[in-house]
Amino acid sequence: MLLIIIVGLLTAFLFKHLYWKRRNFPPGPTPLPFLGNLTVLKNYEPGYECWKKLKEDYGPVYTFWLASLPSVVIADYEIIKQTIIKDGGNYVGRPYFPISGKMRGGQLGLIEAVDDRWVQHRRFSLQVLRDFGLGKNLMEEKVIIESQNLIELLKKQMESGPVDIQNNVDSAVGSIINNILFGYRFDESNMEQFLTMKVGLARHFELAAHPIGMIIGMYPFLENFPYFKDQFKIVVNNWNTLYDLFGKQIEEHEKIIDYDTAEYSDYVEAFLKEKKKHEDEPDFGGFEIMQLKNMCFDLWVAGMETTANTLYWSVLYVLLDEEVHRKVKKELRDVIGSDRVITSTDKSSLNYVNATLNEIQRLANLLPQNLSRVVGKDTVIGGHLIKAGTILTPQISAVLYDDKIFPDPYRFDPTRFLDENGNVKKIEEFIPFSVGKRQCLGEGLAKLELFIFFANFFNQFDAEFDPAGGIPTTKKRFGVTMKAENYKLVLKNSY
Ligand code: HEM
């Protein structure tokens, strides 16, 4: 009798996991109970080869289980275009992860926000970012100041020997987003604060992308079990370290804010003034302090690592390729020809530099997993009926490495982005900032930063790898965004 019960239960369990729960989704690898397909990802870290293999095995639309959550993946540009680009309004939701709900106080902030909150805060943030960029062109001013400070710093450091530019690049990029949010930059006097934020952020990203992080994210009750308890503590500590720092900044602003003027000089001030306008509404009409803390978190997190990592990759890729390096330097010498500051007005004359930056972003392919959306209404995608409420991931990393669009995709070749006249060629499938209504909010700022930093760096310096460290590899370090291995440079003035 007992045996019959056990066999019966086992059959029911297998029926549920192997067939029943999967019956309404496109095909995909068999999910394990609780773990889903995360073990597949683990076998193919950092992820690109995983998505490639799954596309070969199951076609361009397949199901990948993020632990207990099924996510329909689109790994083909044409299908992404027909759905997420052409019918944008249907793909604006975000999945709910219990751990961030717990830490954030709900789906607050921007990256994970949904419905009216997302519309309201996406609009508000874009408005504030635009205000900084308009008129006096404050945004570019901030970027140029940081790029010049970085160059001065490197000029000092290069006198003492080979330099690892990573911390300097990170703090320069961090200063820009910090300045936009809180109105101050990082220098020797507060470098410790920056490093605390940077380390917290790096840990947060590493764990968030890791299968263990995803499992914790999905099953917060695991915090009561050994091993997971420690991992949980790391997540909570990282989050709290950043929230505490942001909270202090907000308090400082509240002490000195002048509500009598409409003007603002940073994001927190703009938000607090908007909050004041809604003071008679429940939860300040969505402008409550917890929302502000989460906005700081999201803008800092999204705006710092992505751009700083791309810049670190940019120097690595260019120095590893003699021909590209020579052509970048030649164009800068021919067009700029002095050590003057390069600004965005020079952009249209620097075709090779622009093509190289595009190729760097394509090859760095920074977010192998991208962020997921939630489908708004029942839709047919690639011949499969996808129900409203289904999680869906536009797999932009598969597009950037698609050999039908970018032949020999792991080869570094800026000429992909040049036409026969040497002008920059627009390639529709080049989508490092994703697509649709939830595509990157900071694209304009990121492109400005990449151009100003990259062009000024290579214009000012003749750089080569430190011979003592050997030639670095292009191996990618795992995280939500891919990091390059550390390397050191010997720097000399170009002029
Ligand atoms: C090279 C630099 C960057 C890259 C490659 C990048 C890429 C991305 C990608 C792929 C997404 C996901 C879009 C989706 O859901 O499909 C995203 C979202 C986002 N990014 Fe960026 N990003 C960069 C820089 C920035 C900067 C500088 C900021 C801040 C000002 C920023 C703010 C955001 C925000 C707030 C979102 C969430 C948007 C939403 O959910 O509505 N990013 N980014």
Side-chain angles (χ1 to χ4, degrees):
M1 185 62 187
L2 184 64
L3 187 66
I4 295 174
I5 294 174
I6 292 173
V7 171
L9 285 176
L10 194 64
T11 311
F13 181 79
L14 291 175
F15 178 73
K16 180 181 169 219
H17 282 286
L18 297 181
Y19 170 72
W20 191 251
K21 73 176 187 184
R22 300 167 69 198
R23 71 197 183 288
N24 292 326
F25 294 99
T30 308
L32 295 172
F34 309 112
L35 296 175
N37 298 124
L38 293 177
T39 49
V40 181
L41 190 59
K42 181 87 189 85
N43 294 338
Y44 289 93
E45 273 181 16
Y48 310 106
E49 288 301 317
C50 173
W51 310 127
K52 187 174 167 204
K53 185 167 173 356
L54 294 178
K55 186 178 174 185
E56 281 163 10
D57 291 350
Y58 301 101
V61 179
Y62 56 85
T63 306
F64 187 89
W65 288 72
L66 301 161
S68 57
L69 295 180
S71 163
V72 173
V73 175
I74 310 184
D76 173 83
Y77 180 73
E78 269 314 307
I79 303 178
I80 288 179
K81 185 174 169 182
Q82 294 312 323
T83 52
I84 298 170
I85 298 178
K86 291 215 164 147
D87 185 18
N90 194 27
Y91 302 93
V92 292
R94 289 275 196 225
Y96 174 73
F97 295 105
I99 193 169
S100 42
K102 187 172 161 171
M103 294 305 305
R104 283 174 177 268
Q107 281 186 287
L108 301 188
L110 186 60
I111 295 179
E112 295 188 21
V114 292
D115 303 329
D116 292 349
R117 184 178 290 274
W118 170 69
V119 174
Q120 182 184 41
H121 287 280
R122 181 146 177 136
R123 194 178 293 144
F124 181 75
S125 305
L126 279 170
Q127 178 64 45
V128 175
L129 288 180
R130 255 185 233 125
D131 280 357
F132 284 139
L134 287 175
K136 289 174 272 170
N137 219 351
L138 283 174
M139 190 75 86
E140 180 160 2
E141 244 171 60
K142 288 187 205 303
V143 176
I144 290 176
I145 288 173
E146 292 309 330
S147 147
Q148 290 308 105
N149 275 330
L150 173 66
I151 285 164
E152 289 312 312
L153 203 67
L154 294 177
K155 285 191 171 180
K156 269 190 215 145
Q157 292 180 357
M158 74 190 195
E159 284 165 14
S160 323
V163 190
D164 184 342
I165 60 171
Q166 178 152 53
N167 276 344
N168 297 323
V169 170
D170 287 355
S171 71
V173 173
S175 283
I176 294 170
I177 194 70
N178 210 68
N179 214 336
I180 291 170
L181 286 171
F182 307 116
Y184 70 92
R185 54 181 306 277
F186 298 109
D187 54 27
E188 298 83 41
S189 67
N190 55 7
M191 194 44 69
E192 208 154 299
Q193 185 199 23
F194 171 72
L195 291 175
T196 311
M197 289 164 102
K198 185 184 128 160
V199 170
L201 177 62
R203 279 207 210 113
H204 178 74
F205 264 19
E206 225 166 275
L207 208 64
H210 203 276
I212 291 289
M214 289 192 201
I215 289 168
I216 294 174
M218 224 71 77
Y219 309 117
F221 68 87
L222 286 172
E223 71 176 306
N224 301 314
F225 292 85
Y227 176 72
F228 289 103
K229 202 178 192 164
D230 293 339
Q231 301 296 324
F232 219 89
K233 251 191 217 152
I234 298 175
V235 175
V236 173
N237 281 347
N238 283 338
W239 226 304
N240 286 341
T241 305
L242 291 168
Y243 275 167
D244 285 352
L245 284 165
F246 299 147
K248 278 197 192 103
Q249 282 309 318
I250 295 168
E251 278 168 24
E252 293 301 316
H253 275 70
E254 282 178 312
K255 279 185 207 154
I256 54 164
I257 193 165
D258 176 4
Y259 285 111
D260 292 335
T261 67
E263 278 169 22
Y264 50 81
S265 53
D266 58 49
Y267 184 88
V268 170
E269 198 181 347
F271 190 104
L272 290 173
K273 288 191 172 175
E274 192 62 32
K275 173 174 173 269
K276 180 90 178 154
K277 288 187 202 159
H278 297 271
E279 65 186 341
D280 297 331
E281 298 168 33
D283 291 334
F284 299 92
F287 284 85
E288 63 271 52
I289 291 295
M290 199 54 193
Q291 169 65 16
L292 177 53
K293 272 193 195 173
N294 279 294
M295 281 307 308
C296 295
F297 188 92
D298 285 355
L299 291 172
W300 219 90
V301 161
M304 148 73 198
E305 261 227 0
T306 45
T307 316
N309 278 352
T310 308
L311 285 167
Y312 202 60
W313 280 112
S314 75
V315 176
L316 178 65
Y317 283 138
V318 169
L319 291 189
L320 283 173
D321 192 311
E322 248 174 65
E323 189 188 339
V324 175
H325 189 192
R326 187 173 44 75
K327 285 184 175 167
V328 166
K329 293 288 291 181
K330 181 173 178 336
E331 184 173 70
L332 289 167
R333 196 163 275 272
D334 291 350
V335 177
I336 308 295
S338 75
D339 64 353
R340 74 162 171 85
V341 176
I342 299 175
T343 70
S344 61
T345 47
D346 297 304
K347 197 167 159 61
S348 57
S349 338
L350 293 168
N351 284 326
Y352 194 79
V353 163
N354 287 311
T356 305
L357 274 171
N358 285 355
E359 179 66 347
I360 286 158
Q361 278 205 274
R362 188 196 69 77
L363 194 61
N365 208 344
L366 219 61
L367 285 110
Q369 297 177 49
N370 199 12
L371 304 179
S372 297
R373 316 277 179 95
V374 170
V375 179
K377 59 178 190 304
D378 289 3
T379 316
V380 174
I381 302 179
H384 306 280
L385 174 66
I386 308 297
K387 295 267 193 196
T390 302
I391 298 175
L392 181 127
T393 311
Q395 203 39 273
I396 56 172
S397 68
V399 176
L400 296 178
Y401 282 173
D402 185 338
D403 55 9
K404 292 198 185 67
I405 305 161
F406 302 103
D408 199 358
Y410 296 120
R411 193 161 59 88
F412 182 51
D413 179 10
T415 62
R416 297 178 201 275
F417 290 95
L418 290 174
D419 66 15
E420 56 287 0
N421 300 317
N423 294 320
V424 178
K425 186 163 74 181
K426 184 167 167 33
I427 300 181
E428 195 186 327
E429 296 89 345
F430 174 58
I431 48 170
F433 296 99
S434 196
V435 291
K437 291 192 185 292
R438 283 205 91 134
Q439 83 179 69
C440 178
L441 174 107
E443 178 171 350
L445 172 61
K447 283 182 173 164
L448 183 68
E449 290 176 296
L450 293 180
F451 175 76
I452 301 281
F453 276 81
F454 180 88
N456 281 294
F457 177 86
F458 279 103
N459 191 46
Q460 291 285 341
F461 295 112
D462 287 334
E464 60 184 37
F465 294 120
D466 174 17
I471 302 294
T473 71
T474 52
K475 193 168 175 294
K476 292 183 167 166
R477 270 155 59 197
F478 193 67
V480 173
T481 74
M482 290 295 113
K483 272 180 175 310
E485 301 277 356
N486 281 82
Y487 55 82
K488 279 191 174 175
L489 301 176
V490 176
L491 296 174
K492 290 188 194 117
N493 289 322
S494 301
Y495 291 95

